[in-house]
Amino acid sequence: MSSKAPVHSDNYPDSYYFATANALEPQPQLSEHISVDVCIIGGGFSGINTSIELAQKGFSVALLEAKRIGWGASGRNGGELIRGIGHNVEQFRNEIGSEGVQAIHEMGFEAVEIVRQRVKQHQIDCNLQMGYCDLATKPRHMTELSADYQAMCDEGRGDGFKLLQQDEISQVIGSEIYQGALVDMNSGHLHPLNLALGEARVARSLGVQMFENSAATQIIKGDKPKVLTEHGQVDCQYLVLAGNAYIGHKLDSHVGGKVLPAGSYLLATEPLSQAMCDEIIPQNMAFADMRIDLDYFHLSQDNRLLFGGLCTYSGNDPRDINKALRPNLEKVFPQLKGVKIDYEWGGMIGIGANRLPQIGRLDDCPNIFYAQAYAGHGVNATHMAAKLIAEALTQQAERFDIFNKVKHMTFPGGPTFRSPMLAAGMLYHRFKDLF
Ligand SMILES: Cc1cc2nc3c(=O)[nH]c(=O)nc-3n(C[C@H](O)[C@H](O)[C@H](O)COP(=O)(O)OP(=O)(O)OC[C@H]3O[C@@H](n4cnc5c(N)ncnc54)[C@H](O)[C@@H]3O)c2cc1C
């Protein structure tokens, strides 16, 4: 059963998620010339949820996906649904003011709630389990977690959070390498491909026209943008670019130049005995440690350990994901030494220079919107971005404008040299992270 399929092909990667996907209903290829209020490029969480939000507000919507629905990061990720948007949002205080910083902070909680509500309201079968833990690997991390916890309590959000010291950590994880943890019962984990497929069904039930194998090849800007595909065309009032790490440079170099693809990878073990599951993760939570090169993991519905990590910035996938990632897994859980790996896969995370999701509209064509660069923290933030774009299209742009105000750097080096440059930059941050 071990998967050795290429990580990037036109079909879904041979992942655990693909093997356990609910109905993968194929969608037609666009082969005609259509007109809609809104055209969306990209069939991941950003695009699908924007289509839901807009269809609910009465817009006619067409969504173009180059490959299959959920083919990108949304159908491949660690499935960790974690509070928070961006990193160190304080750094934007000069640009967005104290109110802006506070609003993004609050949206970090709202984003998780949007996912929970969507799953509940539409009964999406994606094994959503609440319970998540930040893990400290150094004393400095424990200081940060304590400060986070205190801040949460001070603002009346302490319910569901618990700080665990090293001698208490066996309550949640059977590993000896951590110095402590912050438990968050309002975050959790889910089956991301089944969430994306379930949401796509919701969108279609609302009348969204969805096309697969329909890559947008050219955008013609104007009062009524036109989007060309190999066999069709969409004319629209508004266009939303939601291709994230897979968008490339050709459609719009302004948007594509601000997001860099970085690879992240996962292993799925064979199903573990119930006794082993109870030993390693007794409360079925999700986990991530606090390093730049973090490990993230949780159990699947059928008792496999899904273990992710290994960020690559060079644009090259590791030749053997199992070989590269297994030492990390066995360091966290020596009990699993030699465990059989049934699936291995990876996908591309969209990275921006300042780690704040890029949610905005083009200066030279304000009816073209974009949402991207969530780094490894997009399961929640994509759903928030979708809501903000829908708010902006219905003249309630206050929250959207907070993000739109922030300037984002275009990565130097163009498509050829920017990945090696980022790889060199990240080496420096990894070095700093050693202390
Ligand atoms: C391995 C991995 C693990 C991760 N783990 C987590 C996690 O545990 N928790 C978390 O919160 N986040 C995680 N993330 C990040 C999260 O998955 C992403 O931020 C999120 O899924 C982004 O969704 P999206 O819709 O913006 O992009 P994607 O899901 O990547 O979708 C973009 C889509 O656009 C399509 N597209 C691109 N160009 C075109 C075009 N020209 N025409 C038509 N379609 C086009 C692509 O084919 C793709 O399907 C992880 C990411 C990866 C890769």
Side-chain angles (χ1 to χ4, degrees), residues 40-48 64-82 192 214-217 229 242-248 251 262-266 296 298 309 345-350 371-382:
I40 297 172
I41 297 177
F45 291 142
S46 299
I48 299 166
L64 301 173
E65 165 52 49
K67 317 278 188 192
R68 303 290 311 274
I69 292 298
W71 174 91
S74 299
R76 304 167 183 236
N77 63 61
E80 305 209 340
L81 173 65
I82 311 169
S214 302
T217 51
T229 68
N244 200 19
Y246 296 95
I247 191 89
L251 275 187
S264 187
Y265 303 88
L266 283 112
Y296 49 92
H298 63 87
W345 70 97
M348 289 295 161
I349 290 176
Q372 61 183 19
Y374 310 94
H377 206 127
V379 176
N380 67 339
T382 45

Side-chain angles (χ1 to χ4, degrees), residues 329-390:
L329 185 159
E330 293 183 352
K331 187 172 174 203
V332 176
F333 296 120
Q335 307 90 313
L336 295 181
K337 195 160 180 48
V339 70
K340 185 166 169 282
I341 300 300
D342 280 346
Y343 302 94
E344 55 189 69
W345 70 97
M348 289 295 161
I349 290 176
I351 307 264
N354 61 21
R355 292 171 74 185
L356 186 73
Q358 299 166 7
I359 304 168
R361 63 206 306 173
L362 296 187
D363 289 340
D364 65 341
C365 194
N367 49 358
I368 301 186
F369 292 75
Y370 56 87
Q372 61 183 19
Y374 310 94
H377 206 127
V379 176
N380 67 339
T382 45
H383 290 72
M384 194 70 237
K387 188 166 185 188
L388 295 181
I389 290 175

Side-chain angles (χ1 to χ4, degrees), residues 237-420:
Q237 299 280 349
Y238 301 103
L239 174 60
V240 181
L241 305 179
N244 200 19
Y246 296 95
I247 191 89
H249 266 249
K250 288 189 191 136
L251 275 187
D252 185 276
S253 58
H254 173 85
V255 170
K258 292 183 190 316
V259 62
L260 261 177
S264 187
Y265 303 88
L266 283 112
L267 300 175
T269 67
E270 62 186 326
L272 307 175
S273 68
Q274 191 55 50
M276 180 59 87
C277 293
D278 293 343
E279 180 184 332
I280 62 171
I281 305 187
Q283 297 187 42
N284 196 15
M285 291 182 184
F287 299 86
D289 71 52
M290 298 169 70
R291 295 167 308 138
I292 288 179
D293 262 337
L294 79 173
D295 299 325
Y296 49 92
F297 46 89
H298 63 87
L299 293 170
S300 68
Q301 196 164 10
D302 57 354
N303 282 1
R304 297 168 191 274
L305 180 68
L306 306 185
F307 190 96
L310 211 75
C311 216
T312 61
Y313 302 94
S314 62
N316 301 321
D317 295 322
R319 226 176 280 159
D320 185 336
I321 298 171
N322 180 3
K323 202 169 161 195
L325 204 46
R326 181 187 278 274
N328 300 11
L329 185 159
E330 293 183 352
K331 187 172 174 203
V332 176
F333 296 120
Q335 307 90 313
L336 295 181
K337 195 160 180 48
V339 70
K340 185 166 169 282
I341 300 300
D342 280 346
Y343 302 94
E344 55 189 69
W345 70 97
M348 289 295 161
I349 290 176
I351 307 264
N354 61 21
R355 292 171 74 185
L356 186 73
Q358 299 166 7
I359 304 168
R361 63 206 306 173
L362 296 187
D363 289 340
D364 65 341
C365 194
N367 49 358
I368 301 186
F369 292 75
Y370 56 87
Q372 61 183 19
Y374 310 94
H377 206 127
V379 176
N380 67 339
T382 45
H383 290 72
M384 194 70 237
K387 188 166 185 188
L388 295 181
I389 290 175
E391 286 178 4
L393 259 66
T394 47
Q395 319 305 326
Q396 299 165 296
E398 293 84 4
R399 301 201 300 172
F400 171 88
D401 282 341
I402 295 170
F403 284 91
N404 194 35
K405 264 187 218 160
V406 176
K407 298 277 171 265
H408 297 281
M409 190 189 95
T410 300
F411 285 102
T416 317
F417 294 111
R418 53 197 200 134
S419 279

Side-chain angles (χ1 to χ4, degrees), residues 74-332:
S74 299
R76 304 167 183 236
N77 63 61
E80 305 209 340
L81 173 65
I82 311 169
R83 72 185 186 284
I85 292 181
H87 179 77
N88 184 16
V89 178
E90 280 293 327
Q91 65 184 298
F92 307 108
R93 191 175 285 277
N94 285 345
E95 284 167 276
I96 61 176
S98 304
E99 307 77 28
V101 171
Q102 182 60 22
I104 293 180
H105 177 63
E106 282 165 20
M107 284 188 254
F109 294 93
E110 182 180 342
V112 172
E113 211 39 47
I114 296 171
V115 179
R116 288 180 77 168
Q117 283 310 317
R118 189 140 295 149
V119 169
K120 189 171 166 205
Q121 185 188 349
H122 301 285
Q123 299 185 345
I124 297 174
D125 176 12
C126 63
N127 193 33
L128 173 59
Q129 305 285 323
M130 300 318 288
Y132 164 78
C133 246
D134 288 304
L135 295 166
T137 55
K138 307 178 176 97
R140 156 165 81 79
H141 295 158
M142 256 334 257
T143 311
E144 283 172 39
L145 289 182
S146 304
D148 273 4
Y149 177 63
Q150 196 50 53
M152 228 98 68
C153 292
D154 291 348
E155 61 183 83
R157 286 193 189 270
D159 277 2
F161 287 93
K162 195 172 168 193
L163 198 61
L164 297 179
Q165 301 300 330
Q166 193 163 22
D167 58 352
E168 301 170 300
I169 202 168
S170 60
Q171 292 170 25
V172 294
I173 186 168
S175 174
E176 310 226 316
I177 67 169
Y178 299 108
Q179 311 225 337
L182 179 61
V183 173
D184 170 6
M185 293 310 293
N186 302 311
S187 296
H189 59 96
L190 47 76
H191 188 304
L193 181 56
N194 279 338
L195 176 62
L197 294 170
E199 291 178 331
R201 269 194 293 282
V202 173
R204 289 198 299 276
S205 74
L206 292 165
V208 172
Q209 301 181 66
M210 223 164 243
F211 301 96
E212 292 183 322
N213 300 307
S214 302
T217 51
Q218 194 189 342
I219 294 168
I220 300 169
K221 292 180 183 172
D223 289 347
K224 289 198 169 186
K226 299 180 196 318
V227 181
L228 310 188
T229 68
E230 193 184 355
H231 302 292
Q233 177 172 331
V234 185
D235 296 349
C236 54
Q237 299 280 349
Y238 301 103
L239 174 60
V240 181
L241 305 179
N244 200 19
Y246 296 95
I247 191 89
H249 266 249
K250 288 189 191 136
L251 275 187
D252 185 276
S253 58
H254 173 85
V255 170
K258 292 183 190 316
V259 62
L260 261 177
S264 187
Y265 303 88
L266 283 112
L267 300 175
T269 67
E270 62 186 326
L272 307 175
S273 68
Q274 191 55 50
M276 180 59 87
C277 293
D278 293 343
E279 180 184 332
I280 62 171
I281 305 187
Q283 297 187 42
N284 196 15
M285 291 182 184
F287 299 86
D289 71 52
M290 298 169 70
R291 295 167 308 138
I292 288 179
D293 262 337
L294 79 173
D295 299 325
Y296 49 92
F297 46 89
H298 63 87
L299 293 170
S300 68
Q301 196 164 10
D302 57 354
N303 282 1
R304 297 168 191 274
L305 180 68
L306 306 185
F307 190 96
L310 211 75
C311 216
T312 61
Y313 302 94
S314 62
N316 301 321
D317 295 322
R319 226 176 280 159
D320 185 336
I321 298 171
N322 180 3
K323 202 169 161 195
L325 204 46
R326 181 187 278 274
N328 300 11
L329 185 159
E330 293 183 352
K331 187 172 174 203
V332 176

Side-chain angles (χ1 to χ4, degrees), residues 12-74:
Y12 288 105
D14 191 8
S15 68
Y16 166 74
Y17 300 131
F18 176 56
T20 51
N22 299 332
L24 294 157
E25 297 144 23
Q27 300 306 306
Q29 188 174 48
L30 181 69
S31 58
E32 54 189 331
H33 185 159
I34 60 172
S35 287
V36 285
D37 296 330
V38 188
C39 176
I40 297 172
I41 297 177
F45 291 142
S46 299
I48 299 166
N49 285 284
T50 304
S51 79
I52 292 177
E53 299 277 357
L54 289 170
Q56 281 172 337
K57 290 183 186 294
F59 290 87
S60 62
V61 184
L63 183 150
L64 301 173
E65 165 52 49
K67 317 278 188 192
R68 303 290 311 274
I69 292 298
W71 174 91
S74 299

